[in-house]
Amino acid sequence: MAETAQNGVAVRPARPEDLPRIREIYAHHVVHGLASFEETAPDLAEITRRFEATQARGMPYLVAHATAKQDVLGYAYAGPYRTRPAYRFTVENSVYVAPGSERRGIGRVLLAELIERCTALGLRQMVAIIGDSGHLPSIAFHESFGFTRIGTIQAVGFKFGRWIDSVILQRPLGEGAETPPGDKS
Ligand SMILES: CC(C)(COP(=O)(O)OP(=O)(O)OC[C@H]1O[C@@H](n2cnc3c(N)ncnc32)[C@H](O)[C@@H]1OP(=O)(O)O)[C@@H](O)C(=O)NCCC(=O)NCCS
């Protein structure tokens, strides 16, 4: 599929050869941050398993790089918010930017493309679950896309020796709840 580019950042679907770099980026955030509630960075086999599961569901899994270079600087994907059938029009997003590459518009281009693709698939709601209510960059990032803060689940995790909240934000996709879903079910 075509690559899209905006302000020097290009986005395209992830490929298997991107997975070692994706693993590296995610490992940084697992080990140093609270965005993920994982505590041990998954190995390449597990990252590959997750990538293949996303592809099998027909959900987008994207990478971003500077237009002039091929080094992957961030990635994003959509997955089921919850697996029971009635949730099937709702996805949860994940966006991770490489350390040292933040605030250069990489996350913005990734999430814009993710929203566009999920909307085109007929999905109706996107949910972002942010680890740590103090994680203002991620909350501001999602609010800049029209996500609304729905609530906070307090002290739901324990990482780095302290209790961690989850902040839930939500954004309608396409017609959201204004019309029935495409499959009329
Ligand atoms: C959150 C994250 C994806 C943002 O990506 P990014 O490439 O740094 O963000 P961008 O440069 O595209 O910023 C887009 C907008 O988000 C907001 N934003 C991003 N970082 C911000 C910060 N540190 N403080 C305030 N607002 C911020 C701003 O509105 C910004 O627009 P502006 O630069 O024109 O003001 C990135 O910081 C990251 O990977 N964080 C760790 C993982 C994570 O928390 N992921 C989200 C949950 S899955």
Side-chain angles (χ1 to χ4, degrees):
M1 84 105 243
E3 190 171 91
T4 58
Q6 197 186 320
N7 298 328
V9 181
V11 176
R12 62 166 171 78
R15 300 190 284 251
E17 58 267 33
D18 299 319
L19 297 178
R21 176 65 175 143
I22 287 171
R23 193 205 70 79
E24 191 176 37
I25 294 169
Y26 184 58
H28 169 88
H29 290 290
V30 168
V31 172
H32 298 288
L34 294 169
S36 171
F37 276 27
E38 287 195 82
E39 296 187 304
T40 305
D43 62 14
L44 184 58
E46 174 60 16
I47 292 289
T48 303
R49 192 195 64 71
R50 296 178 191 183
F51 170 70
E52 288 172 349
T54 302
Q55 290 207 307
R57 290 185 196 105
M59 298 280 180
Y61 198 131
L62 308 169
V63 294
H65 60 88
T67 44
K69 298 181 177 177
Q70 291 302 315
D71 307 340
V72 169
L73 298 176
Y75 68 95
Y77 61 91
Y81 165 61
R82 300 188 76 175
T83 53
R84 300 230 167 132
Y87 290 114
R88 66 190 176 283
F89 297 102
T90 299
V91 281
E92 181 181 340
N93 69 7
S94 292
V95 187
Y96 288 91
V97 170
S101 294
E102 302 91 347
R103 214 66 199 263
R104 286 165 46 186
I106 293 163
R108 179 182 294 286
V109 175
L110 281 166
L111 185 53
E113 184 72 17
L114 196 73
I115 288 171
E116 192 172 316
R117 284 168 179 260
C118 287
T119 305
L121 287 171
L123 296 159
R124 292 301 183 90
Q125 301 289 332
M126 184 174 279
V127 172
I129 301 179
I130 311 297
D132 185 15
S133 49
H135 190 9
L136 300 179
S138 186
I139 295 168
F141 172 68
H142 283 91
E143 286 177 340
S144 78
F145 273 90
F147 282 75
T148 304
R149 191 168 170 158
I150 300 302
T152 301
I153 311 177
Q154 294 180 354
V156 74
F158 188 82
K159 188 172 178 182
F160 301 149
R162 69 175 175 93
W163 295 106
I164 312 295
D165 300 340
S166 278
V167 179
I168 303 174
L169 295 97
Q170 178 177 3
R171 181 195 192 280
L173 300 173
E175 294 175 359
E178 287 171 15
T179 60
D183 73 356
K184 308 273 191 287
S185 52

